[in-house]
Amino acid sequence: MIKVTVLYPNTPDARFDMKYYVTHHMPMVRDKCAGACHSIAAESGLAGGDPGSKAPYIAIGHLTFDSVEAFQKAFGPHAAEIMADIPNYTNTQPTIQISEISL
Amino acid sequence: MIKVTVLYPNTPDARFDMKYYVTHHMPMVRDKCAGACHSIAAESGLAGGDPGSKAPYIAIGHLTFDSVEAFQKAFGPHAAEIMADIPNYTNTQPTIQISEISL
């Protein structure tokens, strides 16, 4: 099983509409990848590890798939439409991490 | 519910022993925080979002707690011992993110 993690940097002028993200964007991605995307999850940054420090990421999203190939096959045809929705909830440029779930 | 995410950067000379991490380090943290830590999870970086790009993080770990206060109360007394185990599985300096689980 693999996880696609989308990390939105907590820049000084970062804007992120978590309500839109969890009620519209992430369910839309899951629906577009129906049959391939097993789960969606999202988190709001609260803090960093050092006392008083800011969270490195204002928000993080996670999607799970059977394999990288399954993700690419399901996501690819909808990529342009999904990316076009990003400005509706944030002005940040996300970093993408594809991982194998180890535990 | 909050999630503590530990992100290990995928630097050119990064070393990470995932077997040690999932069989020793993460279970040890869970056991030290018994009663407060609800779950542990870990991922191995495979790739970034652009074709052929490296994963930004060589590994990511996750722990969930009821609240930031519950995490600090459970983790604090064992922090030195837990941190001292890090060189046993990696030569990287992790970034910490504390988040509220939103979805």
Side-chain angles (χ1 to χ4, degrees):
Chain A
M1 186 86 81
I2 65 117
K3 184 185 277 191
V4 178
T5 302
V6 188
L7 303 128
Y8 297 88
N10 198 5
T11 48
D13 64 343
R15 172 182 67 77
F16 196 95
D17 182 341
M18 183 56 77
K19 186 175 175 192
Y20 183 94
Y21 190 64
V22 304
T23 61
H24 181 89
H25 183 78
M26 288 295 270
M28 185 259 287
V29 178
R30 181 190 56 206
D31 294 348
K32 298 276 182 205
C33 299
C37 176
H38 295 302
S39 69
I40 56 174
E43 293 132 30
S44 308
L46 290 174
D50 295 324
S53 64
K54 278 177 54 177
Y57 297 105
I58 192 170
I60 303 177
H62 308 275
L63 306 105
T64 58
F65 295 85
D66 281 336
S67 65
V68 176
E69 294 68 28
F71 160 64
Q72 289 170 334
K73 190 175 169 188
F75 188 85
H78 307 288
E81 190 179 352
I82 290 167
M83 306 295 256
D85 190 44
I86 296 178
N88 290 327
Y89 59 87
T90 189
N91 60 347
T92 67
Q93 291 288 325
T95 294
I96 310 288
Q97 162 104 7
I98 302 175
S99 305
E100 185 176 353
I101 296 176
S102 303
L103 176 68
Chain B
M1 185 87 79
I2 65 117
K3 183 185 277 191
V4 178
T5 301
V6 189
L7 304 128
Y8 297 87
N10 198 5
T11 48
D13 64 342
R15 174 180 66 76
F16 197 94
D17 183 341
M18 183 55 76
K19 186 177 175 189
Y20 184 93
Y21 190 64
V22 303
T23 62
H24 182 88
H25 183 78
M26 288 295 271
M28 185 260 284
V29 177
R30 181 190 53 204
D31 293 349
K32 298 277 184 204
C33 299
C37 177
H38 296 302
S39 68
I40 57 173
E43 295 132 29
S44 306
L46 290 175
D50 295 324
S53 63
K54 280 176 54 177
Y57 297 105
I58 192 169
I60 303 177
H62 308 276
L63 305 105
T64 58
F65 295 85
D66 281 337
S67 65
V68 175
E69 294 67 30
F71 160 64
Q72 288 169 334
K73 190 174 170 189
F75 188 87
H78 308 287
E81 191 179 351
I82 290 168
M83 306 295 256
D85 190 44
I86 296 179
N88 291 328
Y89 61 87
T90 189
N91 61 348
T92 66
Q93 292 287 325
T95 294
I96 310 288
Q97 162 104 5
I98 302 174
S99 305
E100 184 176 353
I101 296 176
S102 302
L103 175 68

